[in-house]
């Protein structure tokens, strides 16, 4: 059957007209078509719009539920924590949390350096002060001489950070660090004494936040040493929670028309308090009667009290181990403090935590690590020399494998500490105050400093435990635990503070998300939108780092497995290889940090996990610092070997910390998070955990560089106090003996191989070395150790007992010799 085209058109036209529920009049076939089509489109749009509204409504409802759930599981953030989140700066620490930090950025941005004036001060004034100090005498007297105190004041050792306009030296952070490190190679008590005024002084706080009147009065007196400062923060119940200020309360009052505060406080562990002329006092201010008005707030407030302030008690001393630096208590009850003596005036009431946190970066991240830098230089130079000078079984102990292992570890830990210090100093001199990095530096470098000293003590053995002028390690050994304890004990810093603050402060998206969760009910709509946006970014961030962990992990494994054992000798290849490993570890770390969000508020209590992540973060940061240091010092012969040794250890530390975290990931979602972490970080299991401790050959190479004349020995000796030629000074004498002993050993080896007698010149050199060795292995002996022992008629109690017991016996002696 054939149907004509016209019939089809007619039928179609009729059908369109019939099917169109909106057609009421006759229209052309095209008119009916378009009308019906438009109506359908309108309906579709309405339906789609309604569906979209339903979906959006559902999504919004889900988002709101997720928001409320997240808000319910997040512990309330205290005012102190909120202030801490807004204090300081973030920079390279944020880059590590992003998963893709840049070594080139560090190289381009941070250049630690000294001015000619600063270098001259280190070469002259610091050397002079070191010459005036006998470490053993200081430790026995528990004080410096008046001459030493006056010299520190006259040469403005206490005013290095005070700007020149106020009479200070206006030195860079790098200069202060170098001064403190050099002092530590001679006398750790001098290091501690000079450190405090140049960190939390409160000179630094005054320069930044003081009123004009306070600056004009205090800063010149602090700069010239007229007033020695201290900072009173920690109380008996504070411990490492310095912000608690338990027992340090003050109330705003008005007396005789003057506004002020009535304060009671009990502070301890305050360095320089026994000799301080002014104390910066941390107080918890309350204003129950609203006397502050709109000027200032309640909370952490800093007051400035001079030593003779009515009601203030200072002078009693603690005795931190065997240290001689001044440390004691600051106390007072119902002490009246006029508002003019609040640091920064009434406007700065309640602002103390901001002041403290921003300045704390220098104390924690610079001053304390400087002591470890001094220990590193002293051990590498002194103990390295001792290992070459000291012989056992007619062989220098530097040739013993156990000694080589300890020396190489001390050397690479020393390089890591120095490199970390240089980068931290440059960051601070770049007007940054990185709270997380400063915590990493404090915890990691003081711990490495302790390990360095312990290695030195093990090697020097008897000569290190017998006190006296010849012992250049003992007092440092007793001082490093103090550095580990102060300004936040390392255990707390590692297991709580670094990641607790880092995850919230340095994660690329966490601060805004937390802000949304803390928003009041009136701002909930905007808060939910911000929360969802940041939550999606966090998920994307985690997925991105999961992918980077996979690809970089496999790439890093291949490059490690195929790498030549001597590839590090090429500096370019050294940098390229280790930067790739750090990028891989950074992605692993960032992925793990994102997985921590599965714990919600419980993360605060998972300190074992946070401690492991702090280890990984510290190793990654210090790895970048070590590469940054190598790039700046290329050309130092042997630095490739030392850098390789350090990097292998750091990469292994980070890898092991992440592996341990994946094995023990806590929480209800712990098994899932653990699986994701293992797949992302170690996709092929042990095969993708390629990092190992340095080889024995590399260890021996590093040890040899530290015990023979080399540019590595010169590198460590730079910054070590050297006494004038001709004076007796154990550390200096050991360093100067190394070339003589090495040459004599070479002569002796040649004589054995050639089976001949030495020439006159050769015999003279061997005799010179033997004489030096005989002197340098001696330890101090004393006629008596106490003043009582020194009395002429004094007999030791044990000998008194021996005499009494023999008196009752018939036979007094075995040999009957008179």
């Amino acid at each position: 059957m054939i149907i004509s085209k016209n019939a089809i058109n007619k039928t179609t036209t009729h059908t369109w007209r019939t099917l169109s529920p909106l057609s009421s009049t006759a229209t052309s076939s095209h008119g009916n078509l378009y009308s019906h089509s438009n109506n359908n489109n309108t309906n579709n749009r309405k339906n789609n719009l309604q569906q979209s509204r339903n979906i959006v409504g559902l999504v919004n409802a889900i988002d709101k539920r997720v928001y409320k759930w997240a808000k319910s599981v997040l512990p309330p953030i205290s005012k102190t924590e909120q202030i801490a989140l807004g204090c300081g700066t973030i920079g390279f620490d944020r880059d590590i949390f992003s998963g893709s930090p840049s070594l080139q950025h560090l190289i381009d941005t941070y250049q630690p350096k000294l001015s000619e004036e600063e270098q001259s001060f280190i070469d002259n004034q610091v050397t002079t002060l070191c010459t005036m100090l006998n470490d053993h005498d200081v430790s026995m007297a528990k004080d410096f001489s008046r001459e030493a105190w006056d010299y520190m004041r006259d040469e403005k050792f206490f005013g290095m950070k005070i700007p020149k306009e106020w009479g200070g030296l206006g030195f860079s952070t790098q200069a202060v660090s170098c001064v403190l490190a050099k002092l530590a190679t001679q006398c750790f008590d001098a290091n501690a004494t000079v450190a405090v005024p140049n960190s939390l002084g409160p000179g630094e706080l005054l320069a930044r936040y003081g009123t004009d009147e306070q600056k004009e009065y205090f800063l010149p007196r602090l700069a010239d040493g007229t007033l020695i400062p201290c900072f009173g923060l920690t109380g008996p119940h504070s411990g490492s929670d310095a912000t608690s200020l338990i027992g340090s309360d003050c109330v705003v009052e008005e007396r005789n028309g003057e506004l002020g505060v009535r304060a009671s406080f009990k502070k301890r562990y305050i360095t320089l308090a026994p000799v301080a002329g002014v104390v910066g006092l941390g107080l918890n201010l309350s204003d129950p009667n609203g006397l502050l008005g709109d000027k200032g707030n309640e909370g952490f407030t800093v007051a400035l009290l001079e030593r003779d302030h009515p009601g203030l008690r200072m002078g009693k001393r603690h005795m931190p181990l065997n240290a001689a630096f001044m440390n004691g208590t600051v106390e007072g009850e119902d002490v009246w403090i006029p508002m003019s003596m609040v640091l920064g005036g009434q406007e700065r009431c309640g602002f103390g935590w901001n002041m403290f946190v921003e300045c704390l970066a220098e104390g924690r991240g610079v001053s304390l690590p400087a002591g470890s830098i001094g220990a590193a230089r002293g051990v590498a130079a002194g103990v390295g020399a001792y290992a070459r000078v000291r012989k056992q079984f007619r062989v220098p102990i530097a040739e013993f494998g156990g000694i080589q292992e300890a020396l190489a570890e001390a050397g690479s830990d020393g390089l890591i500490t120095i490199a970390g210090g240089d980068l931290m100093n440059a960051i601070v001199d770049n007007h940054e105050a990185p709270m997380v990095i400063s915590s990493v530096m404090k915890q990691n470098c003081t711990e490495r400093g302790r390990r360095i000293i312990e290695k030195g003590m093990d090697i020097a053995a008897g000569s290190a435990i017998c006190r006296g002028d010849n012992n250049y390690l003992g007092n440092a050994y007793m001082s490093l635990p103090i550095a580990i304890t102060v300004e936040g004990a390392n255990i707390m810093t590692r297991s709580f503070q670094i990641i607790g603050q880092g995850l919230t402060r340095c994660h690329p998206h966490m601060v805004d998300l937390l802000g949304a969760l803390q928003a009041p009910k009136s701002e909930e709509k905007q808060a939910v939108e911000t929360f969802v946006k940041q939550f999606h970014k966090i998920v994307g961030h985690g997925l991105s780092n999961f992918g980077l962990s996979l690809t970089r992990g496999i790439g890093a494994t291949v490059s490690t497995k195929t790498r030549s054992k001597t590839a590090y000798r090429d500096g370019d290849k050294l940098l390229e290889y280790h930067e790739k490993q750090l990028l891989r570890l950074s992605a692993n770390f960032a992925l793990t940090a994102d997985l921590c969000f599965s714990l919600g508020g419980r993360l605060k209590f998972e300190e074992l996990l946070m401690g492991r992540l702090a280890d990984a973060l510290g190793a990654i940061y210090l790895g970048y610092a070590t590469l940054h240091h190598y790039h700046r010092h290329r050309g130092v012969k042997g630095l490739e070997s030392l850098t390789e040794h350090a990097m292998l250890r750091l990469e292994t530390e980070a890898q092991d910390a992440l592996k341990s975290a994946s094995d023990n990931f806590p929480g209800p979602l712990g098994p899932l998070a653990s699986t994701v972490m293992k797949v992302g970080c170690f996709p092929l299991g042990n095969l993708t955990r390629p990092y190992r401790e340095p080889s024995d050959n590399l260890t021996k190479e590093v040890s040899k560089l530290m015990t023979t004349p080399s540019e590595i020995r010169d590198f460590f000796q730079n910054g070590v106090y050297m006494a004038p030629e001709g004076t007796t000074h154990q550390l200096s004498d050991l360093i100067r003996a190394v070339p003589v002993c090495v040459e004599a050993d070479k002569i002796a080896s040649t004589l054995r191989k050639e089976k001949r007698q030495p020439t006159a010149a050769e015999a003279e050199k061997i005799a010179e070395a033997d004489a030096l060795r005989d002197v340098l292995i001696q330890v101090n002996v004393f006629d008596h150790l106490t003043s009582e022992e020194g009395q002429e008629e004094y007999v030791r109690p044990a000998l008194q007992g021996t005499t009494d017991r023999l008196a009752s016996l018939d036979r007094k002696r075995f040999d009957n010799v008179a």
Side-chain angles (χ1 to χ4, degrees):
M1 179 178 178
I2 300 175
I3 303 177
S4 70
K5 183 177 180 180
N6 288 337
I8 296 175
N9 286 340
K10 287 180 181 178
T11 304
T12 306
T13 302
H14 175 75
T15 304
W16 285 337
R17 188 180 293 143
T18 304
L19 293 177
S20 175
L22 300 177
S23 89
S24 57
T25 58
T27 60
S28 67
S29 62
H30 291 293
N32 285 328
L33 172 65
Y34 292 149
S35 174
H36 185 67
S37 175
N38 285 336
N39 289 333
N40 278 343
N41 287 340
T42 300
N43 284 336
N44 288 338
R45 282 197 299 271
K46 287 182 177 180
N47 289 335
N48 290 338
L49 181 61
Q50 185 60 42
Q51 290 175 357
S52 297
R53 286 173 176 170
N54 290 339
I55 292 172
V56 168
L58 180 61
V59 170
N60 286 340
I62 293 173
D63 288 345
K64 194 169 184 178
R65 284 180 177 273
V66 173
Y67 171 80
K68 288 186 174 180
W69 171 83
K71 194 163 187 172
S72 69
V73 300
L74 180 73
I77 297 179
S78 67
K79 183 178 179 182
T80 297
E81 290 174 316
Q82 290 176 0
I83 294 173
L85 287 175
C87 290
T89 62
I90 52 175
F92 190 66
D93 38 10
R94 182 188 177 106
D95 295 343
I96 296 175
F97 274 86
S98 77
S100 295
S102 168
L103 175 61
Q104 191 60 49
H105 169 71
L106 291 182
I107 293 169
D108 293 341
T109 308
Y110 304 111
Q111 300 293 329
K113 56 187 176 181
L114 297 171
S115 68
E116 290 185 7
E117 179 186 8
E118 291 168 342
Q119 187 63 62
S120 175
F121 186 87
I122 293 168
D123 293 340
N124 295 288
Q125 282 90 334
V126 177
T127 298
T128 300
L129 177 58
C130 287
T131 303
M132 297 170 69
L133 301 174
N134 179 295
D135 189 36
H136 178 66
D137 290 348
V138 170
S139 70
M140 297 300 289
K142 295 294 182 284
D143 202 351
F144 305 118
S145 66
R146 170 66 185 271
E147 178 189 20
W149 279 110
D150 285 346
Y151 187 80
M152 286 187 279
R153 284 171 145 147
D154 294 341
E155 297 299 330
K156 302 184 178 180
F157 276 82
F158 302 141
M160 289 189 288
K161 291 294 290 183
I162 294 176
K164 290 186 176 182
E165 63 185 282
W166 297 109
L169 296 177
F171 278 178
S172 66
T173 306
Q174 176 73 356
V176 172
S177 175
C178 290
V179 169
L180 296 177
K182 186 169 183 176
L183 288 174
T185 67
Q186 170 67 355
C187 179
F188 249 87
D189 292 306
N191 162 281
T193 299
V194 174
V196 168
N198 291 288
S199 52
L200 279 176
E204 184 98 355
L205 295 173
L206 272 164
R208 293 192 191 188
Y209 305 110
T211 65
D212 290 341
E213 184 180 11
Q214 289 168 350
K215 290 178 182 178
E216 289 173 3
Y217 178 83
F218 285 108
L219 287 178
R221 289 168 171 80
L222 292 171
D224 66 14
T226 298
L227 294 177
I228 295 172
C230 70
F231 193 87
L233 183 65
T234 306
H237 300 286
S238 297
S240 292
D241 182 15
T243 61
S244 65
L245 294 174
I246 299 171
S248 298
D249 299 311
C250 64
V251 180
V252 179
E253 294 183 354
E254 186 175 354
R255 295 186 181 181
N256 301 320
E258 181 183 18
L259 206 60
V261 298
R262 175 174 52 82
S264 295
F265 44 88
K266 191 172 185 180
K267 306 291 187 179
R268 66 179 182 182
Y269 307 147
I270 311 305
T271 299
L272 296 185
V275 295
V278 60
V279 55
L281 202 60
L283 301 169
N284 184 28
L285 182 144
S286 60
D287 182 24
N289 298 317
L291 297 176
L292 290 176
D294 58 357
K295 290 179 64 177
N297 297 286
E298 295 182 320
F300 187 173
T301 300
V302 180
L304 296 168
L305 303 185
E306 292 182 86
R307 190 175 188 86
D308 59 355
H309 189 91
L312 176 64
R313 299 193 304 276
M314 299 167 65
K316 293 183 178 180
R317 293 182 69 174
H318 297 302
M319 189 176 176
L321 294 179
N322 194 55
F325 69 86
M326 294 290 168
N327 187 274
T329 59
V330 177
E331 298 178 345
E333 290 86 30
D334 294 327
V335 177
W336 171 251
I337 304 173
M339 197 60 69
S340 61
M341 301 183 74
V342 169
L343 181 55
Q346 183 177 337
E347 292 83 357
R348 293 292 185 179
C349 284
F351 196 73
W353 181 232
N354 302 67
M355 300 180 189
F356 178 73
V357 167
E358 292 186 12
C359 291
L360 188 63
E362 193 137 346
R364 288 170 62 85
V366 177
S367 297
L368 292 171
S372 294
I373 291 172
R377 293 191 182 279
V379 168
V383 178
Y386 180 83
R388 183 57 57 186
V389 169
R390 179 69 161 139
K391 282 189 173 184
Q392 294 270 276
F393 314 110
R394 301 182 182 180
V395 178
I397 63 172
E399 303 301 322
F400 296 173
I403 301 295
Q404 292 169 343
E405 182 180 34
L407 267 177
E409 289 181 2
S412 57
D413 270 335
L415 173 64
I416 291 166
T417 304
I418 292 168
D422 281 353
L423 180 55
M424 178 67 191
N425 298 340
I427 289 173
V428 175
D429 281 332
N430 197 47
H431 310 295
E432 300 177 42
M435 294 309 302
V436 175
I437 289 179
S438 69
S439 296
V440 168
M441 282 293 297
K442 190 273 176 181
Q443 182 264 323
N444 218 297
C445 289
T446 54
E447 178 57 38
R448 289 183 193 277
R450 173 163 63 179
R451 295 202 310 236
I452 290 167
I453 284 289
E454 286 174 349
K455 298 294 184 186
M457 294 288 291
D458 289 349
I459 295 168
S463 67
I465 64 170
C466 290
R467 300 187 63 198
D469 291 347
N470 288 356
N471 190 329
Y472 55 95
L473 293 173
N475 286 334
Y477 178 73
M478 289 182 278
S479 295
L480 258 301
I482 300 172
I484 282 169
T485 299
V486 300
E487 295 193 23
N490 276 8
I491 286 180
M492 293 291 291
T493 302
R494 173 184 174 270
S495 63
F496 181 77
Q497 185 177 23
I498 291 174
I499 297 301
Q501 191 173 47
L503 197 59
T504 52
R505 188 78 171 91
C506 300
H507 190 282
H509 312 298
M510 193 58 182
V511 172
D512 290 339
L513 185 141
L514 281 176
L517 291 174
Q518 297 297 314
K521 184 75 174 178
S522 60
E523 300 174 10
E524 186 174 276
K525 183 178 180 181
Q526 180 61 42
V528 171
E529 292 178 4
T530 301
F531 169 81
V532 171
K533 181 179 179 182
Q534 297 305 319
F535 180 76
H536 290 166
K537 286 183 177 181
I538 289 173
V539 173
H541 184 263
L543 292 173
S544 173
N545 279 301
F546 181 85
L548 289 174
S549 289
L550 280 173
T551 56
R552 289 177 183 173
I554 294 172
T557 299
V558 172
S559 63
T560 300
K561 296 294 185 182
T562 59
R563 186 179 185 232
S564 164
K565 292 183 178 180
T566 58
Y568 64 86
R569 293 175 183 171
D570 182 323
D572 291 332
K573 291 182 179 179
L574 174 77
L575 287 170
E576 180 184 7
Y577 169 76
H578 287 296
E579 184 181 9
K580 286 182 178 179
Q581 310 317 307
L582 291 178
L583 278 170
R584 176 261 177 103
L585 291 166
S586 297
N588 294 165
F589 173 80
L591 169 63
T592 308
D594 287 332
L595 290 171
C596 286
F597 294 129
S598 68
L599 292 166
R602 180 174 172 175
L603 177 63
K604 268 189 174 184
F605 309 102
E606 297 296 348
E607 296 180 16
L608 295 177
L609 173 66
M610 289 198 287
R612 294 176 182 119
L613 295 187
D615 292 340
L617 176 61
I620 292 168
Y621 167 74
L622 291 170
Y624 274 102
T626 301
L627 294 185
H628 176 261
H629 178 276
Y630 174 77
H631 184 274
R632 293 183 300 107
H633 292 87
R634 291 184 68 167
V636 175
K637 190 175 181 180
L639 188 57
E640 289 79 14
S641 301
L642 186 59
T643 301
E644 172 79 357
H645 197 279
M647 292 304 302
L648 292 177
R649 293 180 64 213
L650 288 169
E651 287 156 6
T652 302
E653 285 179 24
Q655 172 187 264
D656 292 350
L658 291 168
K659 171 63 166 58
S660 183
S662 70
D663 288 339
N664 297 277
F665 210 98
L669 298 177
L672 176 61
S674 174
T675 300
V676 172
M677 186 179 172
K678 287 179 178 178
V679 172
C681 298
F682 316 114
L684 302 178
N686 286 334
L687 186 62
T688 40
R689 290 195 292 274
Y691 308 126
R692 299 292 182 268
E693 292 289 329
S695 68
D696 289 352
N697 287 336
L698 181 59
T699 293
K700 291 176 182 178
E701 184 179 350
V702 170
S703 177
K704 185 175 182 180
L705 289 169
M706 296 176 64
T707 60
T708 57
S710 68
E711 293 184 23
I712 291 299
R713 276 196 60 78
D714 295 340
F715 160 72
F716 281 117
Q717 287 167 202
N718 181 33
V720 172
Y721 166 67
M722 293 290 288
E725 293 264 12
T727 59
T728 300
H729 182 257
Q730 186 75 358
L731 180 57
S732 303
D733 294 342
L734 279 167
I735 291 171
R736 290 174 179 138
V738 170
V740 177
C741 292
V742 168
E743 185 179 354
D745 289 344
K746 286 181 180 178
I747 292 171
S749 177
T750 300
L751 294 177
R752 286 192 297 272
K753 289 178 182 179
E754 297 179 358
K755 297 180 180 180
R756 64 175 178 84
Q757 295 297 311
T759 65
E762 290 172 336
E764 183 179 353
K765 182 59 68 175
I766 292 173
E768 180 186 4
D770 288 344
L772 283 172
R773 285 186 161 109
D774 187 57
V775 170
L776 292 173
I777 66 169
Q778 302 301 323
V779 298
N780 297 104
V781 293
F782 302 90
D783 292 330
H784 56 270
L785 295 181
T786 66
S787 57
E788 186 180 10
E789 269 191 307
Q791 295 176 9
E792 187 174 348
E793 301 300 324
Y794 177 80
V795 178
R796 295 184 178 98
L799 292 179
Q800 293 176 13
T802 301
T803 301
D804 292 344
R805 288 169 182 267
L806 285 174
S808 64
L809 300 176
D810 295 331
R811 188 175 179 181
K812 312 297 184 187
R813 299 180 58 87
F814 174 75
D815 56 10
N816 292 321
V817 177

